[in-house]
Amino acid sequence: MNPITGLIRKSVITLTVPLSLVIAILLALSATAQFFNPIQAELMPLFGLFFPVFFILTFISLIALILLSNRFAFVLLFLLVTVTPLALFYVGRNQAGIGNSNTLLTMNVHGFRGHGNSGSMLENASNIAELIKSSNPDFVCLQEFRSWTGDIVSDIETFAGLTGLNHFSHSIYWPKGGRASDIHLIISRYPILKYGPVNARTGRNLGHFADIDSPEGLFRLVSVHLVSFSLDKTEINMLGQGEIMDRENVRKYAPRLSGKLTNTFRIRAM
């Protein structure tokens, strides 16, 4: 081998192997984050959040080490094979035909504010009801259902009628505050025999359950809405487009973003 070529190869390996080791550690942490309670280990969910990124970086590192004929590639290969079952959860798979023949639609209607606050609440509610009717589901779980007239019961009856489904039940979000503007709503094709809120120590009802008497037997349907991360538009764009990795964004936004994420993970764990 040419001395200069050998020197270049050695320099590349010197840089690549330590970097690959760091990436491998990050992937291992992200893969094991699921086994840690966010209340005791606040940072672990952050590692888990970036699992797809660490998986891809590890794969790239593996290719680089194979091209360099470095033995550390076997370590990365073993790690990737080990975590591949977890990676498959990030790939959408059609589960049609599994289980019974009932169909379920779940949707966060965002207070009927629409996209970019477009349209009136009534218009948006009517459009969503029409979408539900055309989808012809047996059961519907709606989160952040909000009254557009001030009479929540009347609005629920109107909305359910537009969907073509006859049975419904709901629970309010904030039981202590007495406000019924935001609710969990379940609408069903079949009779609802019993229902109620799913309480949480955080003071907000995190869900609503309904016992449904279907032709295939009695079962309990639970609609859940965990506490939001409360990210603003800039933070959402940074995470979605990978701009959080930019050095300036890390310095400016990382502390606040990290605080929001870890606090929300902790509350969700509770």
Side-chain angles (χ1 to χ4, degrees):
M1 179 182 293
N2 185 294
I4 296 179
T5 303
L7 179 62
I8 294 175
R9 181 178 182 278
K10 184 177 180 180
S11 299
V12 172
I13 291 177
T14 302
L15 293 173
T16 304
V17 173
L19 181 60
S20 299
L21 175 61
V22 172
I23 294 173
I25 293 174
L26 291 174
L27 177 62
L29 288 172
S30 65
T32 57
Q34 60 184 308
F35 302 110
F36 291 86
N37 189 328
I39 298 177
Q40 282 82 38
E42 291 188 345
L43 292 179
M44 290 305 292
L46 296 181
F47 289 115
L49 190 63
F50 290 97
F51 173 83
V53 176
F54 298 145
F55 186 88
I56 293 173
L57 290 177
T58 303
F59 183 79
I60 295 174
S61 299
L62 172 63
I63 299 300
L65 291 176
I66 289 176
L67 295 175
L68 293 170
S69 301
N70 188 275
R71 294 181 179 179
F72 189 64
F74 289 104
V75 177
L76 297 188
L77 178 61
F78 174 78
L79 179 59
L80 285 172
V81 170
T82 302
V83 302
T84 292
L86 179 59
L88 293 177
F89 283 105
Y90 289 84
V91 181
R93 286 168 289 177
N94 191 344
Q95 298 294 319
I98 297 177
N100 60 41
S101 59
N102 291 320
T103 55
L104 169 69
L105 185 151
T106 180
M107 181 187 300
N108 186 322
V109 297
H110 199 51
F112 300 119
R113 289 192 288 272
H115 180 69
N117 295 319
S118 61
S120 68
M121 291 178 65
L122 178 57
E123 290 173 339
N124 294 328
S126 299
N127 290 335
I128 291 175
E130 182 61 32
L131 172 64
I132 293 173
K133 185 175 182 179
S134 64
S135 300
N136 195 34
D138 294 306
F139 317 107
V140 180
C141 297
L142 299 182
Q143 303 86 38
E144 292 191 26
F145 186 102
R146 183 170 295 177
S147 172
W148 55 86
T149 66
D151 186 343
I152 190 68
V153 175
S154 175
D155 290 345
I156 292 174
E157 293 176 349
T158 299
F159 184 87
L162 293 174
T163 67
L165 302 176
N166 300 321
H167 307 278
F168 49 85
S169 62
H170 73 279
S171 294
I172 64 175
Y173 271 59
W174 303 100
K176 291 185 178 180
R179 292 181 291 131
S181 59
D182 288 318
I183 66 168
H184 305 273
L185 175 63
I186 291 179
I187 310 175
S188 170
R189 186 177 305 281
Y190 308 113
I192 297 175
L193 303 184
K194 181 182 178 182
Y195 61 87
V198 179
N199 306 116
R201 286 184 290 157
T202 57
R204 179 177 76 101
N205 290 329
L206 62 85
H208 175 71
F209 76 86
D211 292 342
I212 299 174
D213 186 16
S214 76
E216 298 181 355
L218 180 66
F219 71 93
R220 173 164 292 184
L221 177 62
V222 183
S223 175
V224 176
H225 182 201
L226 300 179
V227 64
S228 171
F229 287 107
S230 300
L231 303 180
D232 59 35
K233 188 175 182 180
T234 301
E235 293 165 337
I236 293 173
N237 290 337
M238 283 195 304
L239 287 175
Q241 300 172 14
E243 296 176 4
I244 189 62
M245 305 306 292
D246 180 79
R247 180 181 298 179
E248 180 62 24
N249 285 336
V250 169
R251 183 189 66 81
K252 187 175 181 180
Y253 295 102
R256 182 179 66 181
L257 187 57
S258 175
K260 284 186 177 182
L261 294 175
T262 54
N263 183 59
T264 302
F265 280 129
R266 179 181 58 80
I267 295 175
R268 288 184 171 193
M270 292 169 56

